[in-house]
Amino acid sequence: MSEVLNMEQTILESATELFLKKGFKATSTTEIAKEAGCNQALVHYYFRTKDRLFEAIFQQKVKFFVGALLDIGKEELPFLEKLEKKVISHFEAIESNPRLPLFFLNELSANPDRIETIKQAVGNLPQQAMHQLEKELNSEIEKGAIRPVSVRDLLMSIVSLNIMAFMGAPMFKVMTGVSEEEYQKFLNQRKMENVRIVLKSLEPEVES
């Protein structure tokens, strides 16, 4: 039984690596089977079709990507400390899967219908999390602790800042001439810089 589960997991991991690297269209079940060290029939046995295998992986990655930003919120922390944890959690999630942003962009551009897959994967988690975040955000605004801002704008700022650190890496390396090792050090600094930018953007506006 364990061997069956191990092979199923091996196929899933091999397919994940290939899909992230090459995309859905450019990856064949033959390649997946070769990478997993099994025959093509086993791939179809466990997952029926390449599309079903991809959907399983796509949903898993969507949950991971969205959850890293929205799941944190139950701790009894001041709002800004909780927000800092959200920014860091999301950044580190992308850092552990740096090909995810481009993977999502490419697959959604090639097949917009996958939006439905995202909806199925995350369910009502985003709406619940955003409602809670909006409630806390509005409370801070009412107290005058932060400037008026919508929850959508706040999330867009966080996602944009974090994603760009990875999607912009190839061009940034060419423009600055930094090595891979130097860029990794830069990312550690950039994570906290993104936190600073987000928190700074929420400071109450000073009346002149």
Side-chain angles (χ1 to χ4, degrees), residues 27 30 32-34 37 51 63 68 122 124 142 161 167 182 206:
T27 301
T30 302
I32 294 170
K34 183 178 179 181
D51 197 72
K63 287 180 181 177
V122 299
N124 61 357
E142 289 173 8
L161 284 167
M167 288 189 68
E182 289 172 325
V206 178

Side-chain angles (χ1 to χ4, degrees), residues 70 122-135:
L70 297 178
V122 299
N124 61 357
L125 170 63
Q127 286 74 29
Q128 291 178 346
M130 283 182 65
H131 178 72
Q132 178 61 31
L133 179 59
E134 187 173 34
K135 184 179 177 181

Side-chain angles (χ1 to χ4, degrees), residues 130-194:
M130 283 182 65
H131 178 72
Q132 178 61 31
L133 179 59
E134 187 173 34
K135 184 179 177 181
E136 295 175 20
L137 184 67
N138 289 339
S139 176
E140 295 297 307
I141 292 171
E142 289 173 8
K143 289 187 293 187
I146 63 175
R147 71 175 181 86
V149 62
S150 74
V151 67
R152 291 180 178 84
D153 280 326
L154 176 58
L155 289 175
M156 179 63 78
S157 295
I158 295 171
V159 172
S160 299
L161 284 167
N162 285 346
I163 284 178
M164 195 57 195
F166 299 93
M167 288 189 68
M171 182 59 71
F172 185 86
K173 291 174 188 175
V174 170
M175 292 173 61
T176 62
V178 299
S179 65
E180 184 62 36
E181 183 180 356
E182 289 172 325
Y183 194 76
Q184 288 306 311
K185 292 179 180 178
F186 165 76
L187 284 178
N188 290 331
Q189 299 170 359
R190 186 65 207 179
K191 174 170 60 180
M192 299 316 298
E193 180 66 11
N194 285 358

Side-chain angles (χ1 to χ4, degrees), residues 84-151:
E84 179 177 339
K85 290 191 69 173
K86 286 180 182 290
V87 177
I88 291 174
S89 173
H90 187 248
F91 188 99
E92 291 178 347
I94 303 174
E95 189 172 23
S96 68
N97 291 260
R99 287 182 292 194
L100 270 187
L102 190 57
F103 169 71
F104 288 143
L105 179 63
N106 288 339
E107 294 303 329
L108 290 173
S109 296
N111 187 355
D113 290 342
R114 294 206 191 279
I115 289 291
E116 291 303 316
T117 299
I118 293 178
K119 291 179 180 178
Q120 292 174 18
V122 299
N124 61 357
L125 170 63
Q127 286 74 29
Q128 291 178 346
M130 283 182 65
H131 178 72
Q132 178 61 31
L133 179 59
E134 187 173 34
K135 184 179 177 181
E136 295 175 20
L137 184 67
N138 289 339
S139 176
E140 295 297 307
I141 292 171
E142 289 173 8
K143 289 187 293 187
I146 63 175
R147 71 175 181 86
V149 62
S150 74
V151 67

Side-chain angles (χ1 to χ4, degrees), residues 5-51:
L5 292 175
N6 286 340
M7 178 50 67
E8 184 176 356
Q9 184 61 31
T10 298
I11 292 171
L12 195 62
E13 290 173 358
S14 300
T16 299
E17 180 64 23
L18 288 169
F19 283 140
L20 285 174
K21 183 179 180 180
K22 302 176 65 175
F24 174 76
K25 286 187 176 181
T27 301
S28 68
T29 52
T30 302
E31 289 178 286
I32 294 170
K34 183 178 179 181
E35 184 73 17
C38 67
N39 57 49
Q40 194 173 352
L42 270 179
V43 177
H44 290 293
Y45 172 77
Y46 287 117
F47 297 98
R48 304 305 179 198
T49 65
K50 185 179 81 166
D51 197 72

